[in-house]
Amino acid sequence: MELCAFLLYFRSPLHISPRPTGQLTETEGFIHSDTLASAIAWALVAIGYLEDDSERVKAFLEDLPLSSAFPFVKYKEQLYYFLPKPQSVLPEENGAISFKTLKKLQWIALEPWQRWIQEGDLSVDEQLIQGRYYGVSAQAVLLSQCFRKEDHMRVQLARATYRDPELFHSELLHFGEGCGLFFLAPKNQKDAIESALEVLQDNGLGSDRTVGYGTFNYETRNLSLSFPSSDYVMNLGVFLPETKETLNNLKPLQYQVLLRSGWITREGMLNLRRNSLYMFAEGSCFKLQTPQSQLFYQGAVRDVTPPNAKHPIYRSGNALFVPIKMKNHESFSI
């Protein structure tokens, strides 16, 4: 199946808070799909591509399945994509490779990732492990240079109180030349997403956009993926079930749950926090009632409007799912 891959080459540091409180002391190394969806919808409303009407915005988000934005490296004109490790059973320990080392893996290069989802297992070569990355020979040396986190001293101004300013440390993600983050979407959404990226590339993504963080250049490429026929699937974006009955047809097996919250970033509501939601994290594994051999999407869009907000605020749990092979069917959560 062919998808659109949207590659973001960041011109400035990026901060994406991993905490539901929106604190700046730490940053994630990637962007969740609900953050991307909200940014795309905002940009399309700003340019008049999408009518500024709450029902129309919600309908647009319900028809906008996305993956989260994952790392990529461009080396000698060759692109190397990294995708999230399935939360399924880890490969068996191999010689000197410890279980702890295998468990820390977060990102797998596209080629071995495809083998993993096709076969349900991966023969691990220790020489290809670089921290949280499992790559191919060319990138193993590059990864530590391409994605670098750095602390910066900042001044915090209270949003909703009159406390004195406070000094604090803010962690920023810096990108080396030829690397960045990419996300996937169906080809029928290409025009809308590119229109949004034209706006977002100069406005930025993430926190502290007013000081120039999160700006980027982008390019669009086609990416072909092949999937096994299987009744097991994993999500490539954060997933919010539409109803409890959804989980009867899409049974969680091995998964992680995230609390998604944060401050509203639109003018006039900067001192307001969105209502919180729990969602399934990327790479969670589920069992379907009937086998699938194609990518599909599923998930709810929820109203997370806090009191005193000027208009409705939505969060998208509409995620892309891919069929995978699983050798162990025991369920657990982390």
Side-chain angles (χ1 to χ4, degrees):
M1 174 174 286
E2 200 166 71
L3 296 166
C4 281
F6 300 90
L7 282 64
L8 313 180
Y9 296 88
F10 286 90
R11 307 192 303 260
S12 60
L14 175 70
H15 180 92
I16 300 292
S17 176
R19 299 178 182 273
T21 55
Q23 292 176 345
L24 299 174
T25 50
E26 299 174 69
T27 184
E28 295 249 45
F30 67 106
I31 306 175
H32 293 291
S33 57
D34 56 342
T35 298
L36 287 171
S38 295
I40 289 169
W42 170 86
L44 293 180
V45 169
I47 60 175
Y49 188 106
L50 180 63
E51 188 175 336
D52 191 5
D53 172 82
S54 60
E55 291 303 315
R56 291 182 183 273
V57 170
K58 183 181 180 183
F60 172 77
L61 291 172
E62 289 172 340
D63 198 37
L64 182 69
L66 299 174
S67 77
S68 295
F70 309 127
F72 74 87
V73 175
K74 192 173 187 179
Y75 179 67
K76 294 184 177 179
E77 300 306 314
Q78 176 68 40
L79 277 168
Y80 298 94
Y81 300 98
F82 287 84
L83 290 127
K85 179 190 74 180
Q87 305 274 359
S88 56
V89 174
L90 291 164
E92 294 182 1
E93 292 196 37
N94 185 356
I97 306 176
S98 68
F99 179 84
K100 185 177 180 180
T101 298
L102 294 174
K103 189 173 182 179
K104 283 184 177 179
L105 285 178
Q106 185 177 7
W107 307 110
I108 303 176
L110 178 60
E111 184 179 340
W113 183 84
Q114 284 264 236
R115 291 201 305 272
W116 192 328
I117 68 169
Q118 293 279 357
E119 301 170 11
D121 203 351
L122 179 67
S123 178
V124 175
D125 183 345
E126 186 176 13
Q127 296 181 353
L128 302 182
I129 297 176
Q130 178 75 21
R132 294 183 177 274
Y133 296 86
Y134 185 82
V136 294
S137 57
Q139 311 119 272
V141 179
L142 294 173
L143 290 171
S144 60
Q145 305 168 13
C146 287
F147 304 96
R148 176 175 54 87
K149 292 183 179 180
E150 186 174 279
D151 276 343
H152 288 250
M153 185 66 75
R154 300 290 308 280
V155 175
Q156 183 176 32
L157 301 177
R159 289 174 181 262
T161 68
Y162 295 97
R163 294 197 314 264
D164 291 336
E166 298 176 2
L167 291 175
F168 71 100
H169 289 275
S170 174
E171 189 176 58
L172 297 174
L173 183 62
H174 294 260
F175 297 86
E177 184 178 355
C179 69
L181 302 176
F182 79 98
F183 65 95
L184 301 173
K187 297 186 75 172
N188 65 352
Q189 295 290 352
K190 179 175 181 286
D191 291 344
I193 293 174
E194 286 186 334
S195 297
L197 293 179
E198 286 292 323
V199 178
L200 294 171
Q201 64 180 346
D202 293 321
N203 281 271
L205 291 168
S207 302
D208 284 342
R209 297 187 299 276
T210 55
V211 295
Y213 292 164
T215 60
F216 58 89
N217 297 323
Y218 78 92
E219 65 173 306
T220 305
R221 298 212 177 191
N222 293 329
L223 181 63
S224 295
L225 298 175
S226 58
F227 307 116
S229 179
S230 176
D231 51 359
Y232 298 97
V233 298
M234 68 171 277
N235 54 319
L236 295 180
V238 290
F239 166 56
L240 178 66
E242 294 178 355
T243 63
K244 291 183 179 179
E245 287 70 28
T246 299
L247 296 183
N248 294 329
N249 298 319
L250 195 62
K251 180 183 177 182
L253 291 179
Q254 298 171 194
Y255 57 90
Q256 183 179 9
V257 174
L258 298 175
L259 178 62
R260 303 295 292 147
S261 184
W263 296 98
I264 297 175
T265 58
R266 295 190 65 170
E267 289 297 329
M269 295 187 290
L270 297 177
N271 64 335
L272 299 178
R273 289 176 53 80
R274 299 178 181 90
N275 293 333
S276 301
L277 290 172
Y278 284 98
M279 296 190 184
F280 288 97
E282 300 86 349
S284 295
C285 298
F286 303 80
K287 184 174 183 179
L288 285 170
Q289 293 286 2
T290 55
Q292 280 275 347
S293 60
Q294 297 291 325
L295 176 142
F296 68 99
Y297 67 92
Q298 192 167 118
V301 175
R302 288 283 186 264
D303 188 331
V304 292
T305 310
N308 302 320
K310 294 181 177 180
H311 57 74
I313 302 294
Y314 294 102
R315 186 178 289 278
S316 175
N318 189 8
L320 292 172
F321 282 80
V322 296
I324 64 170
K325 292 289 187 181
M326 288 181 63
K327 290 188 175 181
N328 186 310
H329 306 160
E330 297 296 324
S331 62
F332 67 91
S333 63
I334 57 175

